[in-house]
Amino acid sequence: MTRQDFEEVVKIIGDDPKYRHFIDRIKKDFDDSEHKGIPVAMHAYFIKEGKESIGFCILSLSPLKMRRWEKTFIEEDWKTQNFQIDISSFELMYLYIKPEFRRKGKATQLFNKVIKRSKVLGIKSIYAYVSDTDNAALEFYRKSGAKIIHDFSDETEGISAAFMVWKLE
Ligand SMILES: CC(C)(COP(=O)(O)OP(=O)(O)OC[C@H]1O[C@@H](n2cnc3c(N)ncnc32)[C@H](O)[C@@H]1OP(=O)(O)O)[C@@H](O)C(=O)NCCC(=O)NCCS
């Protein structure tokens, strides 16, 4: 992922108040890695309508985070001792389609491209954690073939949340 990709993400989100925090978080990842002189381990994919970019998907390679998830699942007894996450897996960090283009199959189109490209890169699985006050993302992920590893949703709190995986083999 390049600075130019980041600028494109900023443009797509625009002044959407609910998802402005995506920009701050991606910028932090960028700045952290630039200070450490490490290349940004993130891959950005875009979808266009005509000449306009209307959505993006960002995957990242974060072995330490994957190890933390694995440890938590075992410590919390959500999974047995032999539960393992392949640390060379990617994590789906962000997926976003501009509001006026939603429910037209755009995220499906974009995510299919991401899956195809990940297979070419030899990625065996993609993990994701999602937590939101509406169920759009979780419903989208379910429909796109994600296997739910643990569902954290809380109806009384109005929270839709889960940790999941797409197996690409
Ligand atoms: C989640 C999101 C990416 C879906 O994008 P989209 O282009 O509207 O998705 P698609 O049109 O490809 O939808 C495919 C399927 O997902 C499910 N889905 C998508 N949006 C949904 C919603 N709001 N409510 C329930 N199901 C939904 C449906 O099953 C849909 O199929 P259908 O339209 O035939 O019923 C989009 O709503 C978005 O950008 N949300 C804000 C950011 C976000 O939550 N990102 C994910 C976490 S990082």
Side-chain angles (χ1 to χ4, degrees), residues 9-164:
V9 164
V10 172
K11 220 161 112 192
I12 294 168
I13 295 184
D15 54 11
D16 182 341
K18 190 172 175 197
Y19 293 97
R20 285 290 303 172
H21 67 283
F22 278 9
I23 297 176
D24 301 333
R25 279 161 49 189
I26 299 168
K27 185 172 184 311
K28 185 178 177 306
D29 287 340
F30 246 104
D31 293 347
D32 282 356
S33 81
E34 269 184 2
H35 285 137
K36 290 178 196 150
I38 313 166
V40 184
M42 295 197 285
H43 293 232
Y45 300 85
F46 296 94
I47 183 161
K48 288 182 185 262
E49 179 83 357
K51 286 189 178 160
E52 182 195 1
S53 287
I54 57 150
F56 63 85
C57 179
I58 298 176
L59 299 190
S60 109
L61 189 62
S62 32
L64 289 177
K65 215 166 145 197
M66 288 299 157
R67 276 282 173 262
R68 271 205 303 274
W69 274 112
E70 191 181 87
K71 202 163 163 255
T72 307
F73 274 90
I74 294 170
E75 280 174 3
E76 297 290 334
D77 263 342
W78 293 329
K79 292 281 163 194
T80 52
Q81 285 291 336
N82 59 3
F83 174 68
Q84 268 188 332
I85 293 180
D86 177 357
I87 57 161
S88 61
S89 306
F90 271 38
E91 181 183 8
L92 197 169
M93 302 280 289
Y94 311 97
L95 174 66
Y96 180 89
I97 301 291
K98 281 179 132 180
E100 62 270 37
F101 292 98
R102 289 182 193 158
R103 293 314 279 268
K104 297 175 195 290
K106 298 295 178 190
T108 306
Q109 221 178 308
L110 174 60
F111 195 61
N112 285 344
K113 185 168 103 176
V114 170
I115 297 278
K116 215 167 147 187
R117 182 76 193 126
S118 300
K119 282 182 179 172
V120 171
L121 292 172
I123 309 300
K124 295 191 173 54
S125 6
I126 299 175
Y127 287 84
Y129 171 73
V130 65
S131 175
D132 212 328
T133 46
D134 65 49
N135 63 353
L138 192 48
E139 285 308 313
F140 171 78
Y141 290 153
R142 277 188 211 279
K143 194 163 185 195
S144 67
K147 179 174 171 268
I148 307 293
I149 295 175
H150 196 80
D151 198 326
F152 302 91
S153 299
D154 186 333
E155 264 179 44
T156 51
E157 297 279 329
I159 299 288
S160 208
F163 186 68
M164 69 207 89

